[in-house]
Amino acid sequence: NSDQANSANSATVAAPTVSYTGSPYTFYSGIAITTQTPSITGSNITSCTVSPALPSGLTLDNTTCAVSGTPTATAAAAAYTVTISNAGGSGTASITITVNNPPAPTISYTGSPYILIMGQAMTSLTPTLTLTGLPVTGCTSSPALPAGLSISNTTCVISGTPTVSADATNHTITVTTSAGSGTATVNILTGKRIFVTATAYTGNLGGISGADTKCTSDSNKPSTGTYKALVSVAAARQACSNNWCATSAELLDWPVSPQRNYVRADLSVRIAKAGDNGILSPMANSIESSSNVAWTGQFLSYTTASNVSCNSWTSASAAANGYTGDTQSTGSAYYNNISSTCDISRRLYCVEQ
């Protein structure tokens, strides 16, 4: 009879089971959750129910028992029993759900402090953002970034080409979402580079133009930028026409610009910010970490003469002399250390323009 048939069919249908991975769950009000689909055994599922009711905004699929939706209010941690049924019986699983207000975003940058080169496009600084699914509504910098740089209002990526020399400054970057704001600090300095040539030369540099050419072709020259040799020649290339620039800083074709930051070619450290007289003083770091001797042709008083510049850098004679600097010095010895005969090979300082 029919009652015997139904009993036989029920006996052949196994009771289902249900299990979830990831409980306890923490969801956020106003943010759609990732659908939580359970593992189910059994067939011909007739229903999925939950007790007590899920937090407002969440639903339980009647046949797959998947939990989905967007919570609309906070809810304290609570256990929920999901029951799955078929003709063979039922199975249960317990899950714990908490609904919180979404947390404020976080932001971080890797690599600060940053040394950037004037006139050269920087490698964009892309932060790590934790947003918990909320869109960014704003990114700002305080104080403002150096001229030529900008920050994306939606990604907080910093990019651009610095157009000015800017002292090392801490910039507070603020990212904002509807849940609040988060901050990170980046330190940025902009300037130009100085390097010491890999090759040493006698005092016959071929004049100023020859010295500049040697900077351009040297293997230590960075792949970008235009460079001039930091060598003095009276009435042609000099910082000062009067001792200590008592009257004025002449800066005649002088490679170093006043009030500009200068950094090592490898961007590891700042060397100095040049004064109004084009002299690197005070120095935060030496021009290079190793000690070498470089031609300069400068008196201690920032002036020059042909008898201290190897006859305007045209002589390799042992009878001629030129002043030199110590590349590892952090004082006046960087440009005025010892006098050398012009037959000895010395290196050059090369300054980015």
Side-chain angles (χ1 to χ4, degrees):
N1 59 34
S2 61
D3 289 342
Q4 290 175 327
N6 288 338
S7 177
N9 288 338
S10 297
T12 60
V13 176
T17 65
V18 60
S19 62
Y20 294 82
T21 300
S23 179
Y25 302 108
T26 299
F27 302 135
Y28 298 106
S29 178
I31 300 176
I33 74 168
T34 299
T35 299
Q36 303 299 315
T37 302
S39 296
I40 292 175
T41 65
S43 58
N44 300 318
I45 304 303
T46 57
S47 68
C48 289
T49 61
V50 61
S51 180
L54 293 172
S56 176
L58 298 183
T59 60
L60 183 74
D61 187 272
N62 191 51
T63 56
T64 66
C65 298
V67 179
S68 61
T70 301
T72 58
T74 60
Y80 300 86
T81 300
V82 176
T83 301
I84 185 170
S85 302
N86 67 5
S90 62
T92 63
S94 179
I95 58 176
T96 298
I97 296 175
T98 303
V99 180
N100 294 328
N101 284 318
T106 66
I107 180 173
S108 62
Y109 293 83
T110 300
S112 182
Y114 304 102
I115 295 178
L116 308 178
I117 303 305
M118 293 171 57
Q120 179 176 311
M122 64 177 289
T123 299
S124 295
L125 305 180
T126 302
T128 299
L129 297 171
T130 303
L131 303 172
T132 60
L134 294 172
V136 173
T137 57
C139 292
T140 60
S141 173
S142 180
L145 296 171
L149 302 186
S150 62
I151 184 168
S152 167
N153 195 49
T154 56
T155 65
C156 298
V157 171
I158 297 172
S159 61
T161 300
T163 58
V164 296
S165 176
D167 294 342
T169 301
N170 286 328
H171 298 267
T172 299
I173 307 300
T174 301
V175 58
T176 303
T177 68
S178 59
S181 60
T183 62
T185 299
V186 296
N187 185 280
I188 297 176
L189 176 146
T190 65
K192 292 286 191 177
R193 294 166 286 190
I194 300 178
F195 73 89
V196 178
T197 58
T199 303
Y201 307 92
T202 67
N204 185 4
L205 301 174
I208 291 174
S209 61
D212 291 345
T213 298
K214 289 172 172 56
C215 284
T216 299
S217 62
D218 193 79
S219 62
N220 278 354
K221 175 188 172 293
S223 59
T224 58
T226 301
Y227 293 81
K228 286 185 176 182
L230 190 62
V231 290
S232 295
V233 173
R237 176 171 292 176
Q238 60 189 45
C240 302
S241 57
N242 301 280
N243 288 343
W244 313 107
C245 297
T247 303
S248 65
E250 189 169 292
L251 298 175
L252 180 61
D253 191 33
W254 192 238
V256 177
S257 294
Q259 300 303 315
R260 176 174 288 180
N261 289 310
Y262 288 91
V263 302
R264 288 183 184 168
D266 62 3
L267 306 185
S268 59
V269 295
R270 180 177 75 96
I271 297 168
K273 183 175 185 177
D276 291 335
N277 51 21
I279 301 300
L280 302 174
S281 179
M283 298 179 74
N285 293 280
S286 58
I287 294 176
E288 67 175 0
S289 58
S290 55
S291 181
N292 287 291
V293 178
W295 292 118
T296 63
Q298 259 188 304
F299 289 118
L300 185 62
S301 59
Y302 312 154
T303 56
T304 188
S306 62
N307 64 340
V308 296
S309 59
C310 295
N311 294 327
S312 301
W313 308 113
T314 62
S315 174
S317 170
N321 292 279
Y323 276 158
T324 65
D326 177 2
T327 64
Q328 200 177 33
S329 172
T330 56
S332 60
Y334 92 85
Y335 69 88
N336 182 267
N337 186 36
I338 59 172
S339 177
S340 170
T341 56
C342 299
D343 58 321
I344 299 176
S345 293
R346 305 298 190 186
R347 303 185 189 228
L348 295 173
Y349 293 128
C350 301
V351 182
E352 187 174 17
Q353 301 306 290

